[in-house]
Amino acid sequence: MPLLEIEKIYQRKEEIREYQKANVESETLRFIEDCLWDLNLPQILEKAKISDRELEAWNKLYGFLDDLSPEEWQQFDEAIRRRPLFGKKNINED
Amino acid sequence: MKTKGFTLDTNIITALIKKDERVLARIRTTRESDLHVTMNAISYYEIKRGLESIRRLEKLKEFESICHDLGILFMDQKDILDHASGLWAKLSQRGLIIEDADILIASIAVVKDYILVSDDTHFERVPELIVENWLKQ
């Protein structure tokens, strides 16, 4: 609101100063609100939630197969060993 | 270009499964710096292959649930296959060919802007690919 109009409403200097102070404070609050809006808090919180889930998931893989027997380990290691994807004919074709 | 994070090769994921502290520590520090640590489609396939072979249903279910939260880098862009075929030809011409699975992993990482974490040195043959070995640091 223009200062002249304020002076019409608030007659005393103290009142005007009070108004200006309140105005500055509300502007500051609006600024903070705008900042928070720009930061997109829900998005930040969602991102943090995803991050936590991701880390938690990797933590679960640590020692994930602890209860495997030596035979099962051998079978697992053999199965995950990298081999040509397209390089060899199926053994049944021979 | 700024990397989005790290994608772990099967040998690194297996090291974590076998309780390698170094891998877990690096995952934690990477997450602190807000970079993603992901599995890629080929490693998912290989680990799943291992779990299927031991026929442990409860482990398969648990792995599915873990992967749901991890996020997987899929081969969901034509660019990945284009990059892979070009890479195959380039390496083949130089007599430096690597396995198809490696070519596909490398292409997923390059196209999606991820650093590959692997214990295999032959990935060093791939131009553009940034490789780290968390078992040697």
Side-chain angles (χ1 to χ4, degrees):
Chain A
M1 195 182 293
L3 194 59
L4 275 175
E5 286 183 40
I6 294 164
E7 282 172 347
K8 279 179 202 164
I9 301 167
Y10 300 102
Q11 296 298 314
R12 289 169 40 227
K13 281 191 175 173
E14 290 77 13
E15 283 177 335
I16 294 169
R17 267 203 298 273
E18 280 294 309
Y19 172 84
Q20 283 174 330
K21 197 179 153 200
N23 197 32
V24 168
E25 280 170 4
S26 70
E27 282 296 326
T28 308
L29 281 175
R30 198 172 301 134
F31 174 74
I32 292 169
E33 190 183 280
D34 285 349
C35 285
L36 290 175
W37 183 258
D38 287 343
L39 283 169
N40 200 341
L41 265 187
Q43 199 181 15
I44 291 169
L45 290 172
E46 182 58 27
K47 201 177 169 192
K49 215 159 63 184
I50 290 168
S51 301
D52 291 344
R53 277 207 303 265
E54 199 176 294
L55 183 58
E56 187 54 35
W58 284 114
N59 279 332
K60 282 181 190 167
L61 276 183
Y62 179 82
F64 174 61
L65 297 176
D66 263 3
D67 56 344
L68 254 56
S69 68
E71 292 75 27
E72 284 175 317
W73 265 120
Q74 198 180 353
Q75 217 172 332
F76 178 80
D77 282 334
E78 173 58 27
I80 64 165
R81 197 170 52 81
R82 192 154 294 162
R83 56 199 80 198
L85 288 181
F86 316 116
K88 282 185 181 166
K89 278 199 296 182
N90 189 319
I91 48 167
N92 295 328
E93 288 172 16
D94 289 330
Chain B
M1 192 175 287
K2 194 177 178 292
T3 182
K4 289 175 190 155
F6 297 83
T7 185
L8 308 192
D9 195 4
T10 311
N11 47 43
I12 303 294
I13 298 168
T14 312
L16 179 72
I17 290 173
K18 291 181 180 176
K19 288 182 146 177
D20 194 305
E21 292 279 352
R22 293 168 296 182
V23 178
L24 191 61
R26 279 304 303 269
I27 290 171
R28 283 180 182 154
T29 52
T30 305
R31 290 301 310 133
E32 279 164 18
S33 55
D34 210 27
L35 289 169
H36 286 293
V37 183
T38 64
M39 194 178 285
N40 61 77
I42 299 291
S43 296
Y44 172 82
Y45 160 65
E46 288 173 336
I47 303 279
K48 190 85 192 277
R49 199 165 73 184
L51 294 173
E52 291 279 1
S53 77
I54 57 171
R55 298 190 186 94
R56 293 276 289 263
L57 193 62
E58 80 285 3
K59 292 288 177 195
L60 276 166
K61 277 186 184 167
E62 206 179 333
F63 183 68
E64 286 291 328
S65 155
I66 290 170
C67 289
H68 179 263
D69 290 339
L70 275 185
I72 298 169
L73 296 186
F74 288 109
M75 287 189 283
D76 52 0
Q77 293 167 252
K78 179 177 165 289
D79 288 356
I80 295 170
L81 300 173
D82 291 341
H83 183 277
S85 47
L87 179 61
W88 185 91
K90 214 180 285 179
L91 294 176
S92 183
Q93 280 157 13
R94 293 181 195 160
L96 298 171
I97 196 69
I98 56 177
E99 286 183 15
D100 291 308
D102 294 336
I103 287 177
L104 291 171
I105 290 176
S107 297
I108 291 170
V110 170
V111 172
K112 290 186 180 273
D113 298 323
Y114 276 77
I115 294 169
L116 176 66
V117 184
S118 179
D119 193 28
D120 285 342
T121 53
H122 54 241
F123 279 112
E124 289 162 10
R125 299 174 194 175
V126 180
E128 303 168 78
L129 178 69
I130 304 169
V131 191
E132 282 190 11
N133 187 350
W134 289 356
L135 301 180
K136 293 274 163 66
Q137 291 170 337

